[in-house]
């Protein structure tokens, strides 16, 4: 582990909100190192802080306490070195697949020929070659999510975050998106993924974290966490979600 290079470092991160005139602690004093080329999966029940944690890493929310560092540099907000794929794809319906994917590089001022080549590279990577001129309403849910992944990849981020990328998909479309994510893992992209796909987390991740009530309860390699969880809360959660 000492030889691995840290990509992301979270230092005592906390986030809270006022709900019904009471303070709700969404994330509580979380410290975490994410290593380069790591496939880190975050599991946990609803409202445990998973998505809030991702939003803070992405710069969409500012922690009330603590700091987040990328390559040793403190992040002050959103950073183009960190990409994110959301539950809802938020594709621009008036733009084609190619136009959606090249949108980020276009904003960065990358010349048309270069950004088209970059977009095509990632369209091919997610298996959508031949659909460059299609519009989102002409695609299946799984294809739309693959466009969203290609769009994030076209920014060529150092770290890619996924927030429940298969939650809005029909079951038969889940596999095609997980296949792309597995391919990215094999290529060594640093990824942090919130998912409810337990078998995928167990079989593909390099490290798994279980959160509950804003805390990291357990942090272990997937084989250890799924087969021999140390904490009672982790065992209770997995017993409900891994039945059958």
């Amino acid at each position: 582990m000492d030889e691995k290079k840290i990509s992301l470092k979270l230092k005592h991160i906390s986030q809270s909100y006022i709900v019904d005139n009471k303070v709700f602690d969404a994330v509580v004093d979380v410290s975490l190192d994410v290593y380069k080329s790591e496939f880190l999966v975050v599991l946990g029940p609803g409202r445990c802080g998973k998505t809030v944690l991702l939003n803070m890493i992405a710069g969409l929310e500012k922690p009330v306490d603590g700091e987040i560092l990328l390559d040793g540099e403190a992040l002050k907000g959103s950073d183009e070195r960190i990409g994110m794929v959301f539950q809802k794809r938020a594709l621009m319906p008036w733009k084609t697949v190619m136009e959606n994917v090249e949108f980020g590089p276009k904003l960065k001022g990358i010349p048309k020929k270069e950004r088209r080549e970059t977009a095509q590279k990632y369209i091919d990577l997610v298996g959508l070659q031949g659909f460059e001129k299609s519009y989102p309403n002409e695609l299946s849910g799984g294809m739309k999510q693959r466009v969203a992944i290609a769009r994030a990849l076209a920014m060529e981020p150092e770290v890619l975050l996924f927030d429940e990328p298969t939650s809005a998909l029909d079951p038969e479309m889940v596999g095609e998106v997980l296949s792309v994510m597995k391919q990215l893992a094999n290529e060594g992209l640093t990824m942090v993924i919130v998912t409810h796909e337990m078998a995928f987390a167990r079989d593909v991740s390099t490290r798994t974290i279980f959160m509950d009530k804003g805390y990291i309860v357990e942090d272990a390699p997937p084989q250890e966490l799924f087969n021999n969880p140390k904490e009672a809360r982790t065992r209770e959660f997995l017993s409900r979600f891994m039945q059958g």
Side-chain angles (χ1 to χ4, degrees):
M1 187 66 76
D2 293 337
E3 297 179 357
K4 290 186 178 181
K5 187 174 181 182
I6 294 172
S7 179
L8 272 173
K9 180 180 279 289
L10 281 59
K11 300 172 68 175
H12 302 289
I13 298 298
S14 294
Q15 181 63 285
S16 58
Y17 311 100
I18 302 297
V19 180
D20 296 330
N21 296 319
K22 296 179 181 179
V23 176
F24 170 69
D25 293 320
V27 173
V28 184
D29 194 27
V30 166
S31 293
L32 177 68
D33 290 340
V34 181
Y35 296 88
K36 288 193 181 295
S37 299
E38 188 164 45
F39 188 120
L40 178 66
V41 169
V42 184
L43 305 175
R47 293 172 64 87
C48 73
K50 308 183 299 291
T51 293
V52 175
L53 190 68
L54 281 196
N55 286 344
M56 287 191 288
I57 295 172
L60 302 176
E61 296 186 38
K62 185 178 180 180
V64 294
D65 286 305
E67 65 176 347
I68 300 171
L69 296 91
L70 178 64
D71 295 333
E73 175 187 344
L75 297 176
K76 302 302 182 184
S78 60
D79 191 297
E80 64 184 27
R81 293 172 295 172
I82 299 177
M84 188 163 179
V85 178
F86 300 88
Q87 292 183 40
K88 296 183 179 178
R89 294 163 289 275
L91 299 178
M92 291 171 280
W94 61 91
K95 290 184 179 290
T96 64
V97 167
M98 174 61 76
E99 291 167 341
N100 267 282
V101 175
E102 71 171 353
F103 184 73
K106 184 177 181 180
L107 287 181
K108 290 169 69 174
I110 294 174
K112 184 174 182 178
K113 183 176 185 295
E114 184 180 343
R115 70 175 184 257
R116 281 278 160 116
E117 290 173 351
T118 298
Q120 190 66 57
K121 171 184 173 182
Y122 293 112
I123 289 170
D124 293 349
L125 179 67
V126 301
L128 287 174
Q129 57 270 35
F131 291 91
E132 292 85 354
K133 296 181 180 180
S134 299
Y135 288 88
N137 66 355
E138 300 172 320
L139 305 176
S140 70
M143 294 168 76
K144 290 176 186 176
Q145 192 63 295
R146 285 188 278 153
V147 174
I149 293 171
R151 182 180 58 183
L153 289 170
M155 294 294 288
E156 302 198 316
E158 292 182 28
V159 180
L160 189 54
L161 312 174
F162 292 83
D163 184 17
E164 295 281 11
T166 61
S167 65
L169 299 179
D170 293 332
E172 63 268 22
M173 296 175 183
V174 169
E176 63 187 70
V177 174
L178 296 183
S179 177
V180 170
M181 293 165 62
K182 185 174 183 178
Q183 182 179 353
L184 296 175
N186 291 338
E187 294 185 2
L189 179 64
T190 306
M191 294 187 284
V192 181
I193 298 173
V194 167
T195 184
H196 62 281
E197 299 289 343
M198 297 296 162
F200 177 73
R202 179 191 61 203
D203 297 339
V204 181
S205 69
T206 57
R207 183 167 148 224
T208 309
I209 285 172
F210 173 68
M211 289 186 69
D212 191 34
K213 298 179 180 178
Y215 294 89
I216 291 179
V217 176
E218 195 155 350
D219 178 349
Q223 297 80 9
E224 183 179 321
L225 187 137
F226 281 95
N227 298 330
N228 189 30
K230 292 182 172 60
E231 303 297 327
R233 182 67 186 93
T234 312
R235 290 195 293 272
E236 177 191 347
F237 176 81
L238 291 175
S239 70
R240 294 206 320 268
F241 286 92
M242 293 298 289
Q243 290 175 353

